[in-house]
Amino acid sequence: MTDELRILSAGAVKPGLTKLIDAFQRESGNRVQVSFATAPAILKQMGDSETVDIVIAPAGVLEELVKSGKSAAREAAALGRIGVGVLVRTGESLPDISNVDGFKQSLLGAESVVYNQASTGTYLEMLFESLGIGAAVRNKSTRYPDFAAVLDHVSKGRGHEIGLGATTVIIENESCGVKFAGPLPAGIQNYTSYVAALVSEDSGEAAARQFMRYLASSAAKTILSDAGIQ
């Protein structure tokens, strides 16, 4: 019998997760229904009693779900970690992000800075303050709920704009009018670790447990690594 597995996931892992799900469906015969959301939206949806079998999110989000009583992680598996990267519109000169000072000067010299309101954006906001450029960047920043809107803004924008987001989704969308300038300098890079947690207790649990086992397979790890999930 074919089971349907319901997954609610953070968007940063989408490039690797969609390929992984395709492979899992072929091998297991089970169907997977997946929806993607930002970390704040995942917290809200689970608080609204969203019915899912597996939640994939930053470790801190899952901890918050457990502490708040919104969900119980009955089994967990690490997917990997994702860093922060820089993007510009196709055809624009690449900013100097080879070191921290170059990164700072590139941001200060940009006409606008575009990034999200999710976990990546939260880190960047704190980073800009720690680098002493918080006010300068804030005054010319545009922030969106998710990366899709950041991508749309930068690809259709004008002038010298710098966008930031998870490296995975930038690389995946390089054919959509943007160019990946590279990851943040090592000294200020921030990695977000993503974890899959089994939260269901219904008839879909068997398929969910099968998916959790698949995450630990060498095939799954290769798919995720190829997508930039370390």
Side-chain angles (χ1 to χ4, degrees):
M1 187 177 89
T2 300
D3 291 324
E4 181 168 278
L5 173 61
R6 300 152 301 178
I7 298 176
L8 175 61
S9 173
V13 300
K14 183 178 180 179
L17 184 62
T18 51
K19 293 182 176 65
L20 189 151
I21 286 173
D22 286 344
F24 173 74
Q25 289 182 133
R26 287 194 302 271
E27 292 186 23
S28 69
N30 294 316
R31 295 190 303 270
V32 178
Q33 178 184 331
V34 59
S35 58
F36 295 95
T38 62
I42 289 174
L43 288 170
K44 183 180 185 305
Q45 288 182 47
M46 294 304 292
D48 293 341
S49 300
E50 176 84 2
T51 303
V52 298
D53 300 301
I54 290 173
V55 176
I56 299 175
V61 171
L62 294 175
E63 290 172 7
E64 190 170 339
L65 286 173
V66 172
K67 287 179 181 177
S68 66
K70 295 177 181 177
S71 181
R74 305 177 63 239
E75 184 179 332
L79 264 74
R81 64 179 191 171
I82 298 173
V84 180
V86 177
L87 68 147
V88 295
R89 189 169 56 258
T90 300
E92 281 290 307
S93 58
L94 296 180
D96 176 14
I97 56 173
S98 58
N99 53 52
V100 175
D101 188 60
F103 175 68
K104 287 174 58 176
Q105 296 308 315
S106 292
L107 290 177
L108 292 172
E111 293 176 40
S112 68
V113 179
V114 190
Y115 58 108
N116 69 24
Q117 298 166 348
S119 53
T120 297
T122 300
Y123 169 72
L124 289 170
E125 195 171 31
M126 294 187 295
L127 174 64
F128 300 153
E129 292 294 336
S130 70
L131 293 176
I133 57 174
V137 173
R138 187 162 53 249
N139 290 337
K140 57 182 175 182
S141 289
T142 302
R143 297 183 66 181
Y144 291 100
D146 55 29
F147 180 77
V150 173
L151 173 67
D152 186 66
H153 179 122
V154 175
S155 65
K156 297 177 181 177
R158 62 182 62 185
H160 183 42
E161 295 182 314
I162 288 180
L164 300 108
T167 55
T168 47
V169 290
I170 299 174
I171 294 169
E172 180 193 34
N173 288 284
E174 278 201 291
S175 62
C176 300
V178 298
K179 179 68 176 177
F180 179 48
L184 293 187
I188 56 172
Q189 179 59 275
N190 180 69
Y191 291 99
T192 300
S193 295
Y194 290 85
V195 178
L198 189 157
V199 297
S200 68
E201 296 184 58
D202 61 16
S203 59
E205 183 179 346
R209 289 191 178 280
Q210 187 177 3
F211 183 80
M212 296 294 285
R213 290 194 298 272
Y214 185 74
L215 287 177
S217 69
S218 58
K221 291 183 183 302
T222 297
I223 292 171
L224 294 173
S225 177
D226 288 347
I229 303 173
Q230 303 178 9

